Amino acid sequence: MGEAQSALEGDNALNPNALNPNALNPNALNPNALAIGALSIISLGSQALTAILDPGPNGAISREHLRYAVECALESSQSFRFGWIDASGVYHDEIYTGVLGLARSWAWDPLDGDGQRWVSACLAARTNYYRVSVALSSRGPTKAINKQNSPEVSTFTREEGAFWGNIYGSSPALYACHVPENDASSRAALRDCAAGHIDETTGAIQPCGEIQLLGPCSSYCDPIAPKNGIYHPSCSTDPANRPATRSLHPITVFLE
């Protein structure tokens, strides 16, 4: 529990701007820049490689996106290493180590459809409107984050919401649902991306980057049941047409 929280659960401060599907490709509109091939410096697409080597602000966003994606996809025994040179000519050696293992095969194969969806959901779940780290428990219908027998279940008991989608596919999109009775406590914990951020001036609800706010999880997701690992097994974007809009790759987030 302590190791998981320090390694991943306590590091959820991804910049909402890094959710842009072109974050790894600032020079062309190709949302598949990250998914071209296996995750190695020699097999990355030229546009993705150019993006992470960029010494400017676009490069910083691209590297942040990639670091979080690696932590979501790979496990702790896997890593991605590269170097880049900043505007002052200083060399930076980057080593991004995996944590969750949601798409371990990305180390040797292209990120497939399932991998794209798991990494996308993980990135959305780890995004923070204020760019601060908040301890959380990420759970879903896959072995890597099925925490049914983990101490986290009894420590992180308040559901914030769920996240799903695919920012690497032909139609990039991310979605979130929330638990209305927990919205106030989630926002007090600086977690705004499931229910949306309330603008202090206008009172309007603002999304976190590309995440589309749908509504209560009770309307958009299958119910949580203890036997399935304390998560929503699937969520859909249209309750009236669940079969056609269902995702089997949602990540449900719980807070303390």
Side-chain angles (χ1 to χ4, degrees), residues 17-36 39 44-54 58-70 80 82 96 106 111 119 123 167-168:
N17 293 330
L19 290 177
N20 188 312
N22 301 306
L24 280 185
N25 187 14
N27 300 315
L29 295 177
N30 176 9
N32 297 304
L34 182 60
I36 288 176
L39 185 60
L44 274 182
S46 60
Q47 294 167 336
L49 185 59
T50 297
I52 63 174
L53 299 182
D54 184 348
N58 283 335
I61 287 290
S62 297
R63 288 185 290 275
E64 182 179 14
H65 178 120
L66 182 57
R67 177 174 70 85
Y68 274 85
V70 168
F80 174 63
F82 69 99
Y96 301 157
W106 190 26
L111 198 63
V119 172
L123 290 174
I167 57 174
Y168 305 123

mmCIF file of all heavy atoms in Angstrom, residues 17-36 39 44-54 58-70 80 82 96 106 111 119 123 167-168:
data_model
loop_
_atom_site.group_PDB
_atom_site.id
_atom_site.type_symbol
_atom_site.label_atom_id
_atom_site.label_comp_id
_atom_site.label_asym_id
_atom_site.label_seq_id
_atom_site.Cartn_x
_atom_site.Cartn_y
_atom_site.Cartn_z
ATOM 1 N N ASN A 17 -3.548 20.022 -20.067
ATOM 2 C CA ASN A 17 -3.136 20.289 -21.443
ATOM 3 C C ASN A 17 -2.412 19.091 -22.070
ATOM 4 O O ASN A 17 -2.365 18.962 -23.291
ATOM 5 C CB ASN A 17 -2.212 21.506 -21.496
ATOM 6 C CG ASN A 17 -2.929 22.790 -21.139
ATOM 7 O OD1 ASN A 17 -4.122 22.920 -21.381
ATOM 8 N ND2 ASN A 17 -2.227 23.735 -20.552
ATOM 9 N N ALA A 18 -1.847 18.225 -21.233
ATOM 10 C CA ALA A 18 -1.130 17.057 -21.744
ATOM 11 C C ALA A 18 -2.073 15.973 -22.227
ATOM 12 O O ALA A 18 -1.628 14.976 -22.797
ATOM 13 C CB ALA A 18 -0.193 16.495 -20.673
ATOM 14 N N LEU A 19 -3.388 16.154 -22.029
ATOM 15 C CA LEU A 19 -4.363 15.192 -22.532
ATOM 16 C C LEU A 19 -4.674 15.422 -24.002
ATOM 17 O O LEU A 19 -5.334 14.601 -24.634
ATOM 18 C CB LEU A 19 -5.671 15.285 -21.736
ATOM 19 C CG LEU A 19 -5.618 14.783 -20.304
ATOM 20 C CD1 LEU A 19 -6.958 15.010 -19.628
ATOM 21 C CD2 LEU A 19 -5.253 13.312 -20.255
ATOM 22 N N ASN A 20 -4.214 16.527 -24.559
ATOM 23 C CA ASN A 20 -4.433 16.791 -25.968
ATOM 24 C C ASN A 20 -3.913 15.624 -26.786
ATOM 25 O O ASN A 20 -2.773 15.208 -26.624
ATOM 26 C CB ASN A 20 -3.699 18.077 -26.370
ATOM 27 C CG ASN A 20 -4.043 18.524 -27.771
ATOM 28 O OD1 ASN A 20 -4.024 17.735 -28.702
ATOM 29 N ND2 ASN A 20 -4.340 19.803 -27.921
ATOM 30 N N PRO A 21 -4.733 15.046 -27.682
ATOM 31 C CA PRO A 21 -4.265 13.885 -28.442
ATOM 32 C C PRO A 21 -3.055 14.170 -29.306
ATOM 33 O O PRO A 21 -2.399 13.248 -29.769
ATOM 34 C CB PRO A 21 -5.480 13.515 -29.309
ATOM 35 C CG PRO A 21 -6.332 14.732 -29.327
ATOM 36 C CD PRO A 21 -6.112 15.396 -28.006
ATOM 37 N N ASN A 22 -2.744 15.438 -29.521
ATOM 38 C CA ASN A 22 -1.571 15.781 -30.305
ATOM 39 C C ASN A 22 -0.381 16.161 -29.428
ATOM 40 O O ASN A 22 0.590 16.731 -29.908
ATOM 41 C CB ASN A 22 -1.895 16.943 -31.252
ATOM 42 C CG ASN A 22 -3.027 16.610 -32.192
ATOM 43 O OD1 ASN A 22 -2.984 15.602 -32.890
ATOM 44 N ND2 ASN A 22 -4.064 17.432 -32.195
ATOM 45 N N ALA A 23 -0.448 15.813 -28.143
ATOM 46 C CA ALA A 23 0.612 16.223 -27.223
ATOM 47 C C ALA A 23 1.968 15.667 -27.626
ATOM 48 O O ALA A 23 2.996 16.282 -27.363
ATOM 49 C CB ALA A 23 0.282 15.769 -25.802
ATOM 50 N N LEU A 24 1.980 14.517 -28.261
ATOM 51 C CA LEU A 24 3.248 13.958 -28.715
ATOM 52 C C LEU A 24 3.528 14.288 -30.166
ATOM 53 O O LEU A 24 4.426 13.728 -30.765
ATOM 54 C CB LEU A 24 3.256 12.434 -28.532
ATOM 55 C CG LEU A 24 3.557 11.955 -27.121
ATOM 56 C CD1 LEU A 24 3.669 10.451 -27.089
ATOM 57 C CD2 LEU A 24 4.820 12.580 -26.584
ATOM 58 N N ASN A 25 2.765 15.199 -30.728
ATOM 59 C CA ASN A 25 2.929 15.512 -32.134
ATOM 60 C C ASN A 25 2.487 16.937 -32.410
ATOM 61 O O ASN A 25 1.466 17.167 -33.034
ATOM 62 C CB ASN A 25 2.101 14.537 -32.989
ATOM 63 C CG ASN A 25 2.368 14.711 -34.470
ATOM 64 O OD1 ASN A 25 3.326 15.349 -34.867
ATOM 65 N ND2 ASN A 25 1.492 14.153 -35.291
ATOM 66 N N PRO A 26 3.204 17.942 -31.902
ATOM 67 C CA PRO A 26 2.743 19.318 -32.009
ATOM 68 C C PRO A 26 2.795 19.882 -33.419
ATOM 69 O O PRO A 26 2.237 20.938 -33.678
ATOM 70 C CB PRO A 26 3.706 20.073 -31.080
ATOM 71 C CG PRO A 26 4.957 19.266 -31.130
ATOM 72 C CD PRO A 26 4.493 17.836 -31.206
ATOM 73 N N ASN A 27 3.457 19.183 -34.346
ATOM 74 C CA ASN A 27 3.644 19.742 -35.678
ATOM 75 C C ASN A 27 2.682 19.194 -36.725
ATOM 76 O O ASN A 27 2.705 19.608 -37.869
ATOM 77 C CB ASN A 27 5.080 19.480 -36.139
ATOM 78 C CG ASN A 27 6.094 20.119 -35.212
ATOM 79 O OD1 ASN A 27 5.933 21.263 -34.829
ATOM 80 N ND2 ASN A 27 7.117 19.385 -34.846
ATOM 81 N N ALA A 28 1.854 18.211 -36.345
ATOM 82 C CA ALA A 28 0.923 17.632 -37.313
ATOM 83 C C ALA A 28 -0.277 17.041 -36.587
ATOM 84 O O ALA A 28 -0.177 16.640 -35.434
ATOM 85 C CB ALA A 28 1.619 16.547 -38.139
ATOM 86 N N LEU A 29 -1.401 16.997 -37.261
ATOM 87 C CA LEU A 29 -2.622 16.479 -36.643
ATOM 88 C C LEU A 29 -2.697 14.966 -36.832
ATOM 89 O O LEU A 29 -3.409 14.461 -37.688
ATOM 90 C CB LEU A 29 -3.843 17.173 -37.243
ATOM 91 C CG LEU A 29 -3.953 18.664 -36.956
ATOM 92 C CD1 LEU A 29 -5.161 19.257 -37.663
ATOM 93 C CD2 LEU A 29 -4.050 18.923 -35.469
ATOM 94 N N ASN A 30 -1.949 14.249 -36.027
ATOM 95 C CA ASN A 30 -1.952 12.783 -36.083
ATOM 96 C C ASN A 30 -2.086 12.251 -34.670
ATOM 97 O O ASN A 30 -1.106 12.147 -33.937
ATOM 98 C CB ASN A 30 -0.660 12.269 -36.720
ATOM 99 C CG ASN A 30 -0.584 10.756 -36.701
ATOM 100 O OD1 ASN A 30 -1.555 10.078 -36.377
ATOM 101 N ND2 ASN A 30 0.571 10.232 -37.041
ATOM 102 N N PRO A 31 -3.315 11.910 -34.232
ATOM 103 C CA PRO A 31 -3.502 11.487 -32.846
ATOM 104 C C PRO A 31 -2.864 10.147 -32.529
ATOM 105 O O PRO A 31 -2.828 9.736 -31.383
ATOM 106 C CB PRO A 31 -5.032 11.401 -32.722
ATOM 107 C CG PRO A 31 -5.503 11.164 -34.115
ATOM 108 C CD PRO A 31 -4.556 11.927 -34.990
ATOM 109 N N ASN A 32 -2.346 9.458 -33.549
ATOM 110 C CA ASN A 32 -1.744 8.150 -33.313
ATOM 111 C C ASN A 32 -0.226 8.232 -33.149
ATOM 112 O O ASN A 32 0.459 7.213 -33.226
ATOM 113 C CB ASN A 32 -2.085 7.204 -34.460
ATOM 114 C CG ASN A 32 -3.573 6.954 -34.555
ATOM 115 O OD1 ASN A 32 -4.188 6.521 -33.594
ATOM 116 N ND2 ASN A 32 -4.164 7.259 -35.686
ATOM 117 N N ALA A 33 0.306 9.415 -32.926
ATOM 118 C CA ALA A 33 1.753 9.566 -32.853
ATOM 119 C C ALA A 33 2.372 8.660 -31.796
ATOM 120 O O ALA A 33 3.457 8.133 -31.977
ATOM 121 C CB ALA A 33 2.119 11.028 -32.559
ATOM 122 N N LEU A 34 1.670 8.485 -30.681
ATOM 123 C CA LEU A 34 2.202 7.664 -29.598
ATOM 124 C C LEU A 34 2.092 6.181 -29.891
ATOM 125 O O LEU A 34 2.810 5.380 -29.336
ATOM 126 C CB LEU A 34 1.455 7.985 -28.301
ATOM 127 C CG LEU A 34 1.898 7.271 -27.022
ATOM 128 C CD1 LEU A 34 3.341 7.578 -26.709
ATOM 129 C CD2 LEU A 34 1.015 7.665 -25.869
ATOM 130 N N ALA A 35 1.204 5.804 -30.786
ATOM 131 C CA ALA A 35 0.872 4.392 -30.966
ATOM 132 C C ALA A 35 1.522 3.777 -32.200
ATOM 133 O O ALA A 35 1.137 2.711 -32.643
ATOM 134 C CB ALA A 35 -0.636 4.230 -31.058
ATOM 135 N N ILE A 36 2.510 4.436 -32.761
ATOM 136 C CA ILE A 36 3.097 3.964 -34.006
ATOM 137 C C ILE A 36 3.779 2.615 -33.852
ATOM 138 O O ILE A 36 3.639 1.736 -34.680
ATOM 139 C CB ILE A 36 4.081 5.012 -34.568
ATOM 140 C CG1 ILE A 36 3.294 6.201 -35.115
ATOM 141 C CG2 ILE A 36 4.976 4.417 -35.629
ATOM 142 C CD1 ILE A 36 4.147 7.332 -35.608
ATOM 143 N N LEU A 39 7.646 0.820 -27.745
ATOM 144 C CA LEU A 39 8.194 1.966 -27.027
ATOM 145 C C LEU A 39 9.707 1.821 -26.912
ATOM 146 O O LEU A 39 10.232 1.308 -25.931
ATOM 147 C CB LEU A 39 7.565 2.076 -25.643
ATOM 148 C CG LEU A 39 7.964 3.316 -24.845
ATOM 149 C CD1 LEU A 39 7.565 4.577 -25.582
ATOM 150 C CD2 LEU A 39 7.319 3.299 -23.475
ATOM 151 N N LEU A 44 10.096 4.692 -32.154
ATOM 152 C CA LEU A 44 9.132 5.786 -32.074
ATOM 153 C C LEU A 44 9.006 6.462 -33.435
ATOM 154 O O LEU A 44 9.989 6.623 -34.156
ATOM 155 C CB LEU A 44 9.580 6.830 -31.045
ATOM 156 C CG LEU A 44 9.214 6.626 -29.581
ATOM 157 C CD1 LEU A 44 9.707 7.801 -28.769
ATOM 158 C CD2 LEU A 44 7.719 6.452 -29.395
ATOM 159 N N GLY A 45 7.803 6.874 -33.793
ATOM 160 C CA GLY A 45 7.614 7.609 -35.027
ATOM 161 C C GLY A 45 8.406 8.907 -35.008
ATOM 162 O O GLY A 45 8.667 9.486 -33.947
ATOM 163 N N SER A 46 8.790 9.378 -36.174
ATOM 164 C CA SER A 46 9.629 10.575 -36.246
ATOM 165 C C SER A 46 8.959 11.784 -35.619
ATOM 166 O O SER A 46 9.622 12.618 -34.981
ATOM 167 C CB SER A 46 9.982 10.867 -37.709
ATOM 168 O OG SER A 46 8.813 11.092 -38.481
ATOM 169 N N GLN A 47 7.627 11.902 -35.768
ATOM 170 C CA GLN A 47 6.936 13.054 -35.202
ATOM 171 C C GLN A 47 6.915 12.985 -33.682
ATOM 172 O O GLN A 47 7.099 13.998 -32.999
ATOM 173 C CB GLN A 47 5.516 13.123 -35.767
ATOM 174 C CG GLN A 47 5.492 13.398 -37.269
ATOM 175 C CD GLN A 47 4.135 13.152 -37.887
ATOM 176 O OE1 GLN A 47 3.333 12.392 -37.352
ATOM 177 N NE2 GLN A 47 3.864 13.774 -39.009
ATOM 178 N N ALA A 48 6.684 11.791 -33.128
ATOM 179 C CA ALA A 48 6.695 11.633 -31.685
ATOM 180 C C ALA A 48 8.084 11.899 -31.130
ATOM 181 O O ALA A 48 8.244 12.535 -30.084
ATOM 182 C CB ALA A 48 6.225 10.231 -31.297
ATOM 183 N N LEU A 49 9.104 11.405 -31.830
ATOM 184 C CA LEU A 49 10.476 11.615 -31.377
ATOM 185 C C LEU A 49 10.824 13.099 -31.396
ATOM 186 O O LEU A 49 11.426 13.621 -30.450
ATOM 187 C CB LEU A 49 11.440 10.828 -32.269
ATOM 188 C CG LEU A 49 12.913 10.855 -31.857
ATOM 189 C CD1 LEU A 49 13.097 10.303 -30.452
ATOM 190 C CD2 LEU A 49 13.758 10.053 -32.851
ATOM 191 N N THR A 50 10.421 13.786 -32.458
ATOM 192 C CA THR A 50 10.657 15.229 -32.536
ATOM 193 C C THR A 50 9.985 15.948 -31.374
ATOM 194 O O THR A 50 10.541 16.880 -30.784
ATOM 195 C CB THR A 50 10.126 15.782 -33.876
ATOM 196 O OG1 THR A 50 10.845 15.183 -34.951
ATOM 197 C CG2 THR A 50 10.302 17.298 -33.942
ATOM 198 N N ALA A 51 8.780 15.504 -31.019
ATOM 199 C CA ALA A 51 8.024 16.159 -29.951
ATOM 200 C C ALA A 51 8.716 16.035 -28.605
ATOM 201 O O ALA A 51 8.823 17.009 -27.867
ATOM 202 C CB ALA A 51 6.614 15.574 -29.880
ATOM 203 N N ILE A 52 9.206 14.840 -28.249
ATOM 204 C CA ILE A 52 9.803 14.671 -26.926
ATOM 205 C C ILE A 52 11.206 15.264 -26.845
ATOM 206 O O ILE A 52 11.731 15.460 -25.734
ATOM 207 C CB ILE A 52 9.824 13.187 -26.486
ATOM 208 C CG1 ILE A 52 10.700 12.351 -27.417
ATOM 209 C CG2 ILE A 52 8.413 12.641 -26.405
ATOM 210 C CD1 ILE A 52 10.873 10.909 -26.951
ATOM 211 N N LEU A 53 11.818 15.569 -27.994
ATOM 212 C CA LEU A 53 13.145 16.193 -27.993
ATOM 213 C C LEU A 53 13.064 17.712 -28.082
ATOM 214 O O LEU A 53 14.082 18.396 -27.962
ATOM 215 C CB LEU A 53 13.986 15.659 -29.162
ATOM 216 C CG LEU A 53 14.270 14.153 -29.169
ATOM 217 C CD1 LEU A 53 15.150 13.790 -30.372
ATOM 218 C CD2 LEU A 53 14.938 13.710 -27.877
ATOM 219 N N ASP A 54 11.876 18.233 -28.256
ATOM 220 C CA ASP A 54 11.673 19.677 -28.377
ATOM 221 C C ASP A 54 12.076 20.372 -27.077
ATOM 222 O O ASP A 54 11.549 20.058 -25.999
ATOM 223 C CB ASP A 54 10.194 19.927 -28.678
ATOM 224 C CG ASP A 54 9.873 21.398 -28.923
ATOM 225 O OD1 ASP A 54 10.726 22.270 -28.644
ATOM 226 O OD2 ASP A 54 8.750 21.684 -29.374
ATOM 227 N N ASN A 58 6.261 23.022 -25.736
ATOM 228 C CA ASN A 58 5.574 21.863 -26.314
ATOM 229 C C ASN A 58 6.296 20.569 -25.955
ATOM 230 O O ASN A 58 5.668 19.535 -25.714
ATOM 231 C CB ASN A 58 5.481 21.990 -27.835
ATOM 232 C CG ASN A 58 4.408 22.961 -28.280
ATOM 233 O OD1 ASN A 58 3.451 23.202 -27.550
ATOM 234 N ND2 ASN A 58 4.556 23.517 -29.475
ATOM 235 N N GLY A 59 7.622 20.632 -25.926
ATOM 236 C CA GLY A 59 8.399 19.457 -25.544
ATOM 237 C C GLY A 59 8.159 19.058 -24.102
ATOM 238 O O GLY A 59 8.075 17.868 -23.780
ATOM 239 N N ALA A 60 8.022 20.044 -23.224
ATOM 240 C CA ALA A 60 7.757 19.744 -21.809
ATOM 241 C C ALA A 60 6.418 19.030 -21.653
ATOM 242 O O ALA A 60 6.300 18.068 -20.876
ATOM 243 C CB ALA A 60 7.768 21.040 -20.995
ATOM 244 N N ILE A 61 5.401 19.481 -22.393
ATOM 245 C CA ILE A 61 4.095 18.832 -22.349
ATOM 246 C C ILE A 61 4.185 17.410 -22.902
ATOM 247 O O ILE A 61 3.616 16.459 -22.357
ATOM 248 C CB ILE A 61 3.062 19.648 -23.147
ATOM 249 C CG1 ILE A 61 2.676 20.913 -22.389
ATOM 250 C CG2 ILE A 61 1.814 18.823 -23.438
ATOM 251 C CD1 ILE A 61 1.842 20.663 -21.149
ATOM 252 N N SER A 62 4.918 17.251 -24.013
ATOM 253 C CA SER A 62 5.062 15.931 -24.623
ATOM 254 C C SER A 62 5.757 14.958 -23.688
ATOM 255 O O SER A 62 5.352 13.796 -23.565
ATOM 256 C CB SER A 62 5.851 16.049 -25.934
ATOM 257 O OG SER A 62 5.171 16.846 -26.873
ATOM 258 N N ARG A 63 6.804 15.408 -23.021
ATOM 259 C CA ARG A 63 7.531 14.525 -22.102
ATOM 260 C C ARG A 63 6.680 14.180 -20.892
ATOM 261 O O ARG A 63 6.729 13.049 -20.383
ATOM 262 C CB ARG A 63 8.860 15.170 -21.690
ATOM 263 C CG ARG A 63 9.902 15.189 -22.804
ATOM 264 C CD ARG A 63 11.244 15.710 -22.332
ATOM 265 N NE ARG A 63 11.216 17.136 -22.036
ATOM 266 C CZ ARG A 63 11.394 18.112 -22.948
ATOM 267 N NH1 ARG A 63 11.579 17.795 -24.222
ATOM 268 N NH2 ARG A 63 11.355 19.382 -22.599
ATOM 269 N N GLU A 64 5.892 15.142 -20.397
ATOM 270 C CA GLU A 64 5.016 14.845 -19.271
ATOM 271 C C GLU A 64 3.971 13.807 -19.667
ATOM 272 O O GLU A 64 3.718 12.839 -18.930
ATOM 273 C CB GLU A 64 4.325 16.122 -18.778
ATOM 274 C CG GLU A 64 3.438 15.885 -17.565
ATOM 275 C CD GLU A 64 2.773 17.157 -17.060
ATOM 276 O OE1 GLU A 64 2.777 18.180 -17.791
ATOM 277 O OE2 GLU A 64 2.236 17.135 -15.944
ATOM 278 N N HIS A 65 3.376 13.981 -20.831
ATOM 279 C CA HIS A 65 2.410 13.017 -21.344
ATOM 280 C C HIS A 65 3.042 11.625 -21.433
ATOM 281 O O HIS A 65 2.470 10.639 -20.959
ATOM 282 C CB HIS A 65 1.936 13.477 -22.719
ATOM 283 C CG HIS A 65 0.965 12.554 -23.394
ATOM 284 N ND1 HIS A 65 -0.300 12.944 -23.749
ATOM 285 C CD2 HIS A 65 1.072 11.260 -23.788
ATOM 286 C CE1 HIS A 65 -0.932 11.934 -24.323
ATOM 287 N NE2 HIS A 65 -0.113 10.891 -24.370
ATOM 288 N N LEU A 66 4.220 11.549 -22.004
ATOM 289 C CA LEU A 66 4.880 10.262 -22.196
ATOM 290 C C LEU A 66 5.259 9.625 -20.866
ATOM 291 O O LEU A 66 5.101 8.410 -20.678
ATOM 292 C CB LEU A 66 6.123 10.432 -23.068
ATOM 293 C CG LEU A 66 6.895 9.152 -23.385
ATOM 294 C CD1 LEU A 66 6.003 8.128 -24.070
ATOM 295 C CD2 LEU A 66 8.114 9.457 -24.248
ATOM 296 N N ARG A 67 5.739 10.418 -19.907
ATOM 297 C CA ARG A 67 6.119 9.852 -18.605
ATOM 298 C C ARG A 67 4.918 9.203 -17.923
ATOM 299 O O ARG A 67 5.003 8.076 -17.418
ATOM 300 C CB ARG A 67 6.709 10.942 -17.691
ATOM 301 C CG ARG A 67 7.050 10.430 -16.294
ATOM 302 C CD ARG A 67 7.768 11.479 -15.467
ATOM 303 N NE ARG A 67 6.916 12.579 -15.092
ATOM 304 C CZ ARG A 67 6.111 12.582 -14.025
ATOM 305 N NH1 ARG A 67 6.008 11.491 -13.252
ATOM 306 N NH2 ARG A 67 5.396 13.639 -13.715
ATOM 307 N N TYR A 68 3.802 9.916 -17.920
ATOM 308 C CA TYR A 68 2.607 9.356 -17.291
ATOM 309 C C TYR A 68 2.107 8.134 -18.068
ATOM 310 O O TYR A 68 1.655 7.154 -17.480
ATOM 311 C CB TYR A 68 1.500 10.414 -17.201
ATOM 312 C CG TYR A 68 1.579 11.280 -15.976
ATOM 313 C CD1 TYR A 68 2.384 12.416 -15.930
ATOM 314 C CD2 TYR A 68 0.838 10.972 -14.842
ATOM 315 C CE1 TYR A 68 2.450 13.207 -14.800
ATOM 316 C CE2 TYR A 68 0.891 11.764 -13.703
ATOM 317 C CZ TYR A 68 1.703 12.885 -13.690
ATOM 318 O OH TYR A 68 1.773 13.673 -12.564
ATOM 319 N N ALA A 69 2.178 8.196 -19.404
ATOM 320 C CA ALA A 69 1.734 7.059 -20.213
ATOM 321 C C ALA A 69 2.578 5.828 -19.934
ATOM 322 O O ALA A 69 2.054 4.715 -19.830
ATOM 323 C CB ALA A 69 1.797 7.422 -21.701
ATOM 324 N N VAL A 70 3.889 6.011 -19.799
ATOM 325 C CA VAL A 70 4.779 4.891 -19.480
ATOM 326 C C VAL A 70 4.441 4.318 -18.111
ATOM 327 O O VAL A 70 4.383 3.092 -17.926
ATOM 328 C CB VAL A 70 6.258 5.334 -19.535
ATOM 329 C CG1 VAL A 70 7.169 4.271 -18.922
ATOM 330 C CG2 VAL A 70 6.677 5.610 -20.972
ATOM 331 N N PHE A 80 11.625 3.247 -20.080
ATOM 332 C CA PHE A 80 11.951 3.870 -21.361
ATOM 333 C C PHE A 80 12.955 4.973 -21.094
ATOM 334 O O PHE A 80 12.766 5.800 -20.203
ATOM 335 C CB PHE A 80 10.687 4.440 -22.008
ATOM 336 C CG PHE A 80 10.946 5.226 -23.267
ATOM 337 C CD1 PHE A 80 11.501 4.617 -24.380
ATOM 338 C CD2 PHE A 80 10.635 6.570 -23.327
ATOM 339 C CE1 PHE A 80 11.734 5.340 -25.545
ATOM 340 C CE2 PHE A 80 10.864 7.305 -24.486
ATOM 341 C CZ PHE A 80 11.410 6.686 -25.599
ATOM 342 N N PHE A 82 15.666 8.003 -22.769
ATOM 343 C CA PHE A 82 16.109 8.818 -23.896
ATOM 344 C C PHE A 82 16.757 10.084 -23.348
ATOM 345 O O PHE A 82 16.678 10.376 -22.147
ATOM 346 C CB PHE A 82 14.932 9.173 -24.819
ATOM 347 C CG PHE A 82 13.934 10.129 -24.217
ATOM 348 C CD1 PHE A 82 13.977 11.485 -24.510
ATOM 349 C CD2 PHE A 82 12.956 9.673 -23.344
ATOM 350 C CE1 PHE A 82 13.056 12.374 -23.955
ATOM 351 C CE2 PHE A 82 12.029 10.543 -22.792
ATOM 352 C CZ PHE A 82 12.079 11.892 -23.098
ATOM 353 N N TYR A 96 11.974 6.871 -17.701
ATOM 354 C CA TYR A 96 10.597 6.741 -17.254
ATOM 355 C C TYR A 96 10.343 5.269 -16.926
ATOM 356 O O TYR A 96 10.434 4.403 -17.794
ATOM 357 C CB TYR A 96 9.620 7.203 -18.334
ATOM 358 C CG TYR A 96 9.802 8.636 -18.769
ATOM 359 C CD1 TYR A 96 9.366 9.066 -20.017
ATOM 360 C CD2 TYR A 96 10.405 9.581 -17.937
ATOM 361 C CE1 TYR A 96 9.512 10.383 -20.420
ATOM 362 C CE2 TYR A 96 10.566 10.899 -18.336
ATOM 363 C CZ TYR A 96 10.116 11.293 -19.578
ATOM 364 O OH TYR A 96 10.272 12.604 -19.977
ATOM 365 N N TRP A 106 3.542 -2.942 -24.730
ATOM 366 C CA TRP A 106 3.971 -1.752 -25.472
ATOM 367 C C TRP A 106 5.497 -1.677 -25.547
ATOM 368 O O TRP A 106 6.045 -1.011 -26.410
ATOM 369 C CB TRP A 106 3.393 -0.512 -24.790
ATOM 370 C CG TRP A 106 3.554 0.750 -25.577
ATOM 371 C CD1 TRP A 106 3.681 0.880 -26.927
ATOM 372 C CD2 TRP A 106 3.595 2.075 -25.045
ATOM 373 N NE1 TRP A 106 3.801 2.203 -27.281
ATOM 374 C CE2 TRP A 106 3.743 2.951 -26.143
ATOM 375 C CE3 TRP A 106 3.502 2.598 -23.762
ATOM 376 C CZ2 TRP A 106 3.813 4.334 -25.982
ATOM 377 C CZ3 TRP A 106 3.564 3.964 -23.599
ATOM 378 C CH2 TRP A 106 3.724 4.829 -24.698
ATOM 379 N N LEU A 111 1.145 -0.142 -29.384
ATOM 380 C CA LEU A 111 0.077 -0.045 -28.391
ATOM 381 C C LEU A 111 -1.239 -0.399 -29.081
ATOM 382 O O LEU A 111 -1.730 0.344 -29.930
ATOM 383 C CB LEU A 111 0.042 1.377 -27.830
ATOM 384 C CG LEU A 111 -0.689 1.629 -26.520
ATOM 385 C CD1 LEU A 111 -0.036 0.870 -25.383
ATOM 386 C CD2 LEU A 111 -0.720 3.118 -26.210
ATOM 387 N N VAL A 119 -4.486 2.991 -21.215
ATOM 388 C CA VAL A 119 -3.579 4.113 -20.970
ATOM 389 C C VAL A 119 -4.353 5.427 -20.988
ATOM 390 O O VAL A 119 -4.121 6.316 -20.151
ATOM 391 C CB VAL A 119 -2.431 4.127 -21.996
ATOM 392 C CG1 VAL A 119 -1.603 5.399 -21.870
ATOM 393 C CG2 VAL A 119 -1.531 2.905 -21.809
ATOM 394 N N LEU A 123 -4.538 7.999 -17.894
ATOM 395 C CA LEU A 123 -4.121 9.404 -17.992
ATOM 396 C C LEU A 123 -5.229 10.331 -17.504
ATOM 397 O O LEU A 123 -4.970 11.299 -16.776
ATOM 398 C CB LEU A 123 -3.760 9.738 -19.439
ATOM 399 C CG LEU A 123 -2.484 9.117 -19.997
ATOM 400 C CD1 LEU A 123 -2.348 9.431 -21.483
ATOM 401 C CD2 LEU A 123 -1.260 9.624 -19.251
ATOM 402 N N ILE A 167 -7.651 8.376 -26.505
ATOM 403 C CA ILE A 167 -7.114 9.567 -27.168
ATOM 404 C C ILE A 167 -6.139 9.215 -28.280
ATOM 405 O O ILE A 167 -5.591 10.106 -28.923
ATOM 406 C CB ILE A 167 -6.433 10.528 -26.165
ATOM 407 C CG1 ILE A 167 -5.316 9.835 -25.403
ATOM 408 C CG2 ILE A 167 -7.443 11.129 -25.235
ATOM 409 C CD1 ILE A 167 -4.523 10.784 -24.509
ATOM 410 N N TYR A 168 -5.904 7.928 -28.507
ATOM 411 C CA TYR A 168 -4.963 7.507 -29.535
ATOM 412 C C TYR A 168 -5.656 6.898 -30.747
ATOM 413 O O TYR A 168 -5.001 6.489 -31.699
ATOM 414 C CB TYR A 168 -3.972 6.499 -28.961
ATOM 415 C CG TYR A 168 -3.251 7.009 -27.735
ATOM 416 C CD1 TYR A 168 -3.303 6.302 -26.538
ATOM 417 C CD2 TYR A 168 -2.538 8.193 -27.780
ATOM 418 C CE1 TYR A 168 -2.658 6.785 -25.409
ATOM 419 C CE2 TYR A 168 -1.890 8.675 -26.663
ATOM 420 C CZ TYR A 168 -1.947 7.967 -25.471
ATOM 421 O OH TYR A 168 -1.310 8.436 -24.356
#
